[in-house]
Amino acid sequence: MHIDKYERTYLIISAAVLGAFFAALLASALIFDVRLPTTTAFINPNTLSETEFANPGLRNRGNGQYDFYIVGQMWRFNTGSTEQDPELGYDIVRIPVGSEVTFNITSRDVTHGVLIEQHNLNIQLVPGHVGRQTVRFNRVGEFFAICHEYCGRAHQNMFFKIVVEESAAADA
Ligand code: CUA
């Protein structure tokens, strides 16, 4: 079979690029241990009251480490915080700078999402699944966590604010 010289060249280049991508994929998974954020546990959304999610909030594990349980629902994040924005009512969560927080988030009703601006947390919240991700808060500042999956009429109201501060009055 005759293959044109240029066609052959482009076939080789295409195969080489695909091969390089596949090698990069294997290297990231097997050598650098890169994992996509994924469901870490299953949970029955109808019986959250019998789990850690019954009392959402920050749990201090000591040594600057926290577990944070959050329930997403139409159309708010229940963070267990007692502090709300006086005008709009969204939760405000205070975290001491330098903390390492393991988020455990689930949905009570429909599919939501959560993303913390300027931090490495972006999870889809599927009912029945627990999303877990550890985030280090190294910078003082105010960061919104927003729902990024369209979840109904008041989707745009579904967010909360994380205040990273020097000396926090975070609930222990
Ligand atoms: Cu919840 Cu959009």
Side-chain angles (χ1 to χ4, degrees):
M1 187 178 72
H2 173 75
I3 298 179
D4 181 80
K5 186 175 69 171
Y6 292 110
E7 192 169 7
R8 190 204 318 269
T9 304
Y10 283 109
L11 280 173
I12 292 170
I13 292 172
S14 307
V17 168
L18 282 178
F21 285 171
F22 190 62
L25 189 69
L26 289 181
S28 64
L30 301 178
I31 300 173
F32 298 103
D33 206 30
V34 172
R35 293 286 182 274
L36 290 175
T38 184
T39 297
T40 51
F42 295 99
I43 195 166
N44 183 343
N46 298 318
T47 55
L48 292 185
S49 58
E50 297 162 18
T51 70
E52 281 283 349
F53 290 97
N55 297 300
L58 268 181
R59 321 243 202 285
N60 193 341
R61 289 209 314 259
N63 294 325
Q65 296 183 314
Y66 293 82
D67 287 319
F68 197 177
Y69 288 85
I70 300 172
V71 178
Q73 57 197 81
M74 291 185 282
W75 284 280
R76 64 182 293 255
F77 287 105
N78 185 352
T79 68
S81 176
T82 53
E83 183 180 357
Q84 276 78 33
D85 180 79
E87 210 170 318
L88 296 176
Y90 58 81
D91 282 10
I92 297 173
V93 178
R94 296 181 183 276
I95 295 176
V97 69
S99 299
E100 194 176 87
V101 181
T102 298
F103 289 81
N104 297 272
I105 316 180
T106 192
S107 167
R108 187 184 291 286
D109 37 43
V110 301
T111 299
H112 299 279
V114 64
L115 172 154
I116 302 177
E117 53 178 5
Q118 297 175 39
H119 289 80
N120 185 23
L121 184 139
N122 183 338
I123 305 174
Q124 191 178 40
L125 305 180
V126 181
H129 296 218
V130 178
R132 185 173 294 144
Q133 176 82 39
T134 300
V135 179
R136 187 173 266 287
F137 291 92
N138 285 328
R139 274 175 299 140
V140 169
E142 300 192 349
F143 307 99
F144 278 105
I146 64 166
C147 176
H148 61 58
E149 292 273 345
Y150 182 73
C151 55
R153 189 162 52 76
H155 157 72
Q156 70 279 2
N157 297 339
M158 189 166 171
F159 58 92
F160 66 99
K161 185 160 82 179
I162 293 173
V163 179
V164 182
E165 56 189 15
E166 287 294 346
S167 69
D171 297 351

